[in-house]
Amino acid sequence: MPPEIVLSTASFFPDTELAFRMAESPEAVRALTDRFGVRIRAVHVPCLVVSQHVWGWNPEVKLRRSVDMARAIGAGIVVVHPPFRWQRGYAEDFRDLVLQLDSPNGGGPRVTVENMFTVEALGRRVDPYRWNDDAAFSGFPVLTLDTSHAGAARQDLLELHASMGDRVHHLHLSDSTATRGDEHLPPGTGGLPLTELAQAMLARSFGGVVVIEVGFGRLPEGSRTSAARDSLEYARVAFGS
């Protein structure tokens, strides 16, 4: 059975207030699901710098609340970023917390850790995250692969996927030129080998969800609808969905 193709609310950026209003509570999310008939497949922990205030400032509490929300609305995946290096206590306990909250035998969502990227600082590349390398990822049973993050980190996408292997349960699909940071371009408009990635994932019988996570809000207003349509078609063709 081919993977399901869905849309990330991150694609609403820069209207992040809309996404936050949608995720205000499980009841609000369920009401929107019932109204529009669109099932929510995953919950992303609010762990970016710009969303540090959402659900308070304690990252462990936010992860636990995300798991509770996913369980309440029937989402099978929680996506969490590795901790920032300055979140020392959280970073030390992160692996144990993920393993505690992950539900591999049903009854709750799988908690997947997402690959992140390095940034430019004082003329050199710096990794602001703990647990964000191949050796560290080996400690987590399930992962989210973000293709734009791989591009921003100047990683070989196919090699990264091979190192993650069957632990990839969730895919954030977008393109990148690997020259201007975390771009989240429409698939097919950058230089990432996304078709080859899809083939490699299908060869491993990938049965998770493919999430289109494109920065449509960064595109000219008149091109957003067509870009969304083209992104969906690209994903359907690549994954045979």
Side-chain angles (χ1 to χ4, degrees):
M1 186 173 179
E4 184 179 9
I5 312 296
V6 303
L7 176 67
S8 169
T9 54
S11 297
F12 288 114
F13 186 86
D15 189 4
T16 51
E17 182 180 348
L18 172 60
F20 291 154
R21 289 202 307 270
M22 290 174 62
E24 181 180 4
S25 68
E27 292 75 18
V29 173
R30 279 197 299 266
L32 287 166
T33 297
D34 294 342
R35 178 182 176 186
F36 293 104
V38 177
R39 183 180 171 187
I40 296 170
R41 302 300 189 186
V43 172
H44 199 305
V45 181
C47 45
L48 291 171
V49 172
V50 296
S51 59
Q52 289 290 290
H53 66 287
V54 178
W55 284 347
W57 296 92
N58 186 313
E60 177 179 342
V61 170
K62 292 197 284 189
L63 175 53
R64 290 184 180 277
R65 288 193 61 173
S66 297
V67 171
D68 290 342
M69 172 175 273
R71 186 177 292 112
I73 64 178
I77 290 287
V78 168
V79 180
V80 62
H81 291 177
F84 292 111
R85 292 187 181 276
W86 61 79
Q87 296 174 312
R88 294 186 179 180
Y90 177 55
E92 291 297 327
D93 297 336
F94 181 68
R95 180 179 178 275
D96 290 341
L97 180 62
V98 168
L99 295 179
Q100 173 193 339
L101 296 175
D102 181 43
S103 298
N105 299 315
R110 302 305 308 268
V111 179
T112 69
V113 181
E114 181 177 0
N115 63 297
M116 296 303 292
F117 51 88
T118 56
V119 296
E120 294 284 351
L122 301 176
R124 62 190 182 96
R125 298 197 67 79
V126 177
D127 188 346
Y129 298 95
R130 284 280 307 275
W131 301 97
N132 190 36
D133 56 59
D134 292 349
F137 278 133
S138 67
F140 301 104
V142 285
L143 302 170
T144 288
L145 172 57
D146 188 298
T147 57
S148 182
H149 291 175
R154 314 295 198 268
Q155 291 175 293
D156 183 299
L157 179 59
L158 299 181
E159 289 183 1
L160 177 61
H161 169 254
S163 73
M164 291 179 166
D166 295 334
R167 292 176 298 142
V168 177
H169 278 226
H170 205 63
L171 177 69
H172 288 172
L173 181 68
S174 61
D175 217 329
S176 171
T177 65
T179 59
R180 296 192 299 274
D182 187 23
E183 297 172 285
H184 286 281
L185 302 175
T189 64
L192 296 182
L194 299 180
T195 298
E196 293 86 345
L197 174 66
Q199 293 169 349
M201 295 183 73
L202 292 175
R204 288 181 175 271
S205 301
F206 174 70
V209 175
V210 176
V211 182
I212 296 173
E213 192 174 88
V214 172
F216 295 118
R218 305 173 188 173
L219 302 176
E221 187 171 352
S223 68
R224 294 172 187 171
T225 299
S226 61
R229 186 183 302 115
D230 292 345
S231 297
L232 175 60
E233 182 62 20
Y234 186 105
R236 284 175 170 169
V237 171
F239 286 91
S241 297

Short mmCIF file of all heavy atoms in Angstrom, two decimals, residues 48-77:
data_model
loop_
_atom_site.label_atom_id
_atom_site.label_comp_id
_atom_site.label_asym_id
_atom_site.label_seq_id
_atom_site.Cartn_x
_atom_site.Cartn_y
_atom_site.Cartn_z
N LEU A 48 10.61 25.22 18.03
CA LEU A 48 11.45 26.21 17.37
C LEU A 48 11.66 27.42 18.28
O LEU A 48 10.89 27.64 19.22
CB LEU A 48 10.80 26.68 16.07
CG LEU A 48 10.73 25.66 14.92
CD1 LEU A 48 9.86 26.22 13.80
CD2 LEU A 48 12.12 25.34 14.41
N VAL A 49 12.68 28.20 17.99
CA VAL A 49 12.93 29.41 18.78
C VAL A 49 11.72 30.33 18.75
O VAL A 49 11.33 30.92 19.77
CB VAL A 49 14.19 30.14 18.26
CG1 VAL A 49 14.34 31.49 18.96
CG2 VAL A 49 15.44 29.29 18.50
N VAL A 50 11.06 30.45 17.57
CA VAL A 50 9.92 31.36 17.44
C VAL A 50 8.68 30.86 18.16
O VAL A 50 7.72 31.60 18.33
CB VAL A 50 9.58 31.62 15.96
CG1 VAL A 50 10.72 32.32 15.26
CG2 VAL A 50 9.22 30.31 15.24
N SER A 51 8.68 29.59 18.59
CA SER A 51 7.51 29.05 19.29
C SER A 51 7.86 28.61 20.71
O SER A 51 7.15 27.78 21.29
CB SER A 51 6.91 27.88 18.50
OG SER A 51 7.87 26.85 18.32
N GLN A 52 8.93 29.16 21.27
CA GLN A 52 9.37 28.75 22.59
C GLN A 52 8.33 29.03 23.67
O GLN A 52 8.33 28.38 24.71
CB GLN A 52 10.68 29.45 22.95
CG GLN A 52 11.89 28.95 22.17
CD GLN A 52 12.31 27.54 22.57
OE1 GLN A 52 12.82 27.33 23.67
NE2 GLN A 52 12.10 26.59 21.70
N HIS A 53 7.45 30.02 23.44
CA HIS A 53 6.48 30.39 24.47
C HIS A 53 5.21 29.55 24.42
O HIS A 53 4.39 29.62 25.34
CB HIS A 53 6.10 31.86 24.30
CG HIS A 53 5.37 32.15 23.03
ND1 HIS A 53 6.00 32.15 21.81
CD2 HIS A 53 4.06 32.41 22.80
CE1 HIS A 53 5.10 32.42 20.86
NE2 HIS A 53 3.93 32.58 21.44
N VAL A 54 5.01 28.78 23.36
CA VAL A 54 3.78 28.02 23.20
C VAL A 54 3.74 26.89 24.22
O VAL A 54 4.69 26.11 24.34
CB VAL A 54 3.67 27.45 21.77
CG1 VAL A 54 2.40 26.62 21.62
CG2 VAL A 54 3.68 28.58 20.75
N TRP A 55 2.65 26.80 25.00
CA TRP A 55 2.50 25.81 26.05
C TRP A 55 3.57 25.97 27.13
O TRP A 55 4.04 25.00 27.72
CB TRP A 55 2.55 24.38 25.49
CG TRP A 55 1.30 23.96 24.79
CD1 TRP A 55 0.09 24.58 24.80
CD2 TRP A 55 1.14 22.79 23.97
NE1 TRP A 55 -0.81 23.89 24.04
CE2 TRP A 55 -0.20 22.80 23.52
CE3 TRP A 55 2.00 21.77 23.56
CZ2 TRP A 55 -0.70 21.81 22.68
CZ3 TRP A 55 1.50 20.78 22.74
CH2 TRP A 55 0.16 20.79 22.30
N GLY A 56 3.98 27.18 27.39
CA GLY A 56 4.96 27.43 28.43
C GLY A 56 6.38 27.31 27.92
O GLY A 56 6.64 27.19 26.72
N TRP A 57 7.33 27.33 28.86
CA TRP A 57 8.75 27.38 28.49
C TRP A 57 9.48 26.08 28.79
O TRP A 57 10.66 25.94 28.45
CB TRP A 57 9.43 28.53 29.23
CG TRP A 57 8.89 29.86 28.84
CD1 TRP A 57 7.87 30.55 29.44
CD2 TRP A 57 9.31 30.67 27.73
NE1 TRP A 57 7.64 31.73 28.79
CE2 TRP A 57 8.51 31.83 27.73
CE3 TRP A 57 10.29 30.52 26.76
CZ2 TRP A 57 8.65 32.84 26.79
CZ3 TRP A 57 10.44 31.53 25.81
CH2 TRP A 57 9.62 32.68 25.83
N ASN A 58 8.82 25.12 29.41
CA ASN A 58 9.47 23.86 29.77
C ASN A 58 9.36 22.88 28.60
O ASN A 58 8.27 22.43 28.24
CB ASN A 58 8.80 23.26 31.01
CG ASN A 58 9.51 22.04 31.53
OD1 ASN A 58 9.86 21.15 30.78
ND2 ASN A 58 9.72 21.99 32.84
N PRO A 59 10.49 22.49 27.96
CA PRO A 59 10.41 21.65 26.78
C PRO A 59 9.89 20.25 27.07
O PRO A 59 9.23 19.64 26.21
CB PRO A 59 11.87 21.61 26.27
CG PRO A 59 12.69 21.93 27.47
CD PRO A 59 11.88 22.88 28.28
N GLU A 60 10.16 19.73 28.26
CA GLU A 60 9.62 18.41 28.60
C GLU A 60 8.10 18.46 28.69
O GLU A 60 7.40 17.56 28.20
CB GLU A 60 10.20 17.89 29.91
CG GLU A 60 9.60 16.55 30.33
CD GLU A 60 10.19 16.01 31.62
OE1 GLU A 60 11.28 16.46 32.02
OE2 GLU A 60 9.55 15.12 32.23
N VAL A 61 7.58 19.50 29.30
CA VAL A 61 6.12 19.65 29.41
C VAL A 61 5.49 19.75 28.03
O VAL A 61 4.45 19.15 27.75
CB VAL A 61 5.78 20.89 30.27
CG1 VAL A 61 4.28 21.20 30.18
CG2 VAL A 61 6.18 20.67 31.72
N LYS A 62 6.13 20.48 27.13
CA LYS A 62 5.59 20.64 25.78
C LYS A 62 5.59 19.31 25.02
O LYS A 62 4.64 19.01 24.30
CB LYS A 62 6.36 21.71 25.03
CG LYS A 62 6.13 23.10 25.60
CD LYS A 62 6.55 24.20 24.65
CE LYS A 62 8.03 24.36 24.60
NZ LYS A 62 8.40 25.59 23.82
N LEU A 63 6.62 18.50 25.21
CA LEU A 63 6.64 17.19 24.58
C LEU A 63 5.53 16.31 25.14
O LEU A 63 4.81 15.62 24.39
CB LEU A 63 8.01 16.54 24.77
CG LEU A 63 8.17 15.11 24.27
CD1 LEU A 63 7.75 14.97 22.82
CD2 LEU A 63 9.61 14.63 24.48
N ARG A 64 5.37 16.32 26.45
CA ARG A 64 4.32 15.50 27.07
C ARG A 64 2.93 15.97 26.61
O ARG A 64 2.05 15.14 26.34
CB ARG A 64 4.44 15.56 28.59
CG ARG A 64 5.66 14.83 29.14
CD ARG A 64 5.68 14.83 30.66
NE ARG A 64 6.84 14.16 31.20
CZ ARG A 64 6.95 12.85 31.37
NH1 ARG A 64 5.92 12.07 31.06
NH2 ARG A 64 8.05 12.31 31.86
N ARG A 65 2.72 17.28 26.54
CA ARG A 65 1.42 17.80 26.09
C ARG A 65 1.15 17.43 24.63
O ARG A 65 0.01 17.18 24.25
CB ARG A 65 1.35 19.31 26.28
CG ARG A 65 1.23 19.74 27.74
CD ARG A 65 0.85 21.20 27.87
NE ARG A 65 -0.44 21.50 27.27
CZ ARG A 65 -1.06 22.68 27.38
NH1 ARG A 65 -0.48 23.66 28.06
NH2 ARG A 65 -2.22 22.89 26.82
N SER A 66 2.21 17.41 23.83
CA SER A 66 2.05 17.03 22.43
C SER A 66 1.63 15.57 22.31
O SER A 66 0.78 15.22 21.48
CB SER A 66 3.35 17.28 21.66
OG SER A 66 3.69 18.65 21.65
N VAL A 67 2.22 14.71 23.13
CA VAL A 67 1.83 13.30 23.14
C VAL A 67 0.38 13.16 23.59
O VAL A 67 -0.41 12.39 23.00
CB VAL A 67 2.77 12.49 24.05
CG1 VAL A 67 2.25 11.07 24.25
CG2 VAL A 67 4.18 12.46 23.46
N ASP A 68 -0.01 13.91 24.61
CA ASP A 68 -1.40 13.87 25.08
C ASP A 68 -2.36 14.34 23.98
O ASP A 68 -3.43 13.74 23.78
CB ASP A 68 -1.57 14.75 26.32
CG ASP A 68 -0.89 14.17 27.55
OD1 ASP A 68 -0.58 12.96 27.56
OD2 ASP A 68 -0.66 14.94 28.51
N MET A 69 -1.99 15.42 23.27
CA MET A 69 -2.85 15.90 22.20
C MET A 69 -2.97 14.87 21.08
O MET A 69 -4.07 14.62 20.57
CB MET A 69 -2.33 17.23 21.64
CG MET A 69 -3.07 17.68 20.38
SD MET A 69 -2.60 19.31 19.78
CE MET A 69 -3.70 20.33 20.77
N ALA A 70 -1.85 14.29 20.69
CA ALA A 70 -1.88 13.29 19.63
C ALA A 70 -2.80 12.13 20.01
O ALA A 70 -3.59 11.65 19.19
CB ALA A 70 -0.46 12.78 19.35
N ARG A 71 -2.72 11.70 21.26
CA ARG A 71 -3.57 10.61 21.72
C ARG A 71 -5.04 11.04 21.69
O ARG A 71 -5.92 10.26 21.28
CB ARG A 71 -3.17 10.20 23.14
CG ARG A 71 -3.89 8.97 23.65
CD ARG A 71 -3.40 8.58 25.04
NE ARG A 71 -2.02 8.09 24.99
CZ ARG A 71 -0.99 8.72 25.52
NH1 ARG A 71 -1.16 9.88 26.14
NH2 ARG A 71 0.22 8.21 25.45
N ALA A 72 -5.32 12.29 22.07
CA ALA A 72 -6.71 12.77 22.14
C ALA A 72 -7.34 12.91 20.76
O ALA A 72 -8.55 12.71 20.61
CB ALA A 72 -6.75 14.11 22.88
N ILE A 73 -6.55 13.27 19.75
CA ILE A 73 -7.12 13.49 18.42
C ILE A 73 -6.86 12.33 17.47
O ILE A 73 -7.23 12.38 16.30
CB ILE A 73 -6.58 14.79 17.79
CG1 ILE A 73 -5.07 14.69 17.55
CG2 ILE A 73 -6.94 15.99 18.67
CD1 ILE A 73 -4.48 15.92 16.87
N GLY A 74 -6.23 11.27 17.96
CA GLY A 74 -6.02 10.08 17.15
C GLY A 74 -4.88 10.18 16.16
O GLY A 74 -4.86 9.44 15.16
N ALA A 75 -3.91 11.06 16.41
CA ALA A 75 -2.74 11.16 15.54
C ALA A 75 -1.71 10.11 15.95
O ALA A 75 -1.44 9.94 17.14
CB ALA A 75 -2.12 12.55 15.63
N GLY A 76 -1.13 9.43 14.97
CA GLY A 76 -0.24 8.33 15.27
C GLY A 76 1.21 8.70 15.43
O GLY A 76 2.03 7.84 15.77
N ILE A 77 1.56 9.97 15.18
CA ILE A 77 2.95 10.39 15.21
C ILE A 77 3.10 11.70 15.99
O ILE A 77 2.28 12.61 15.84
CB ILE A 77 3.51 10.61 13.78
CG1 ILE A 77 3.66 9.28 13.06
CG2 ILE A 77 4.83 11.36 13.80
CD1 ILE A 77 4.80 8.42 13.52
#
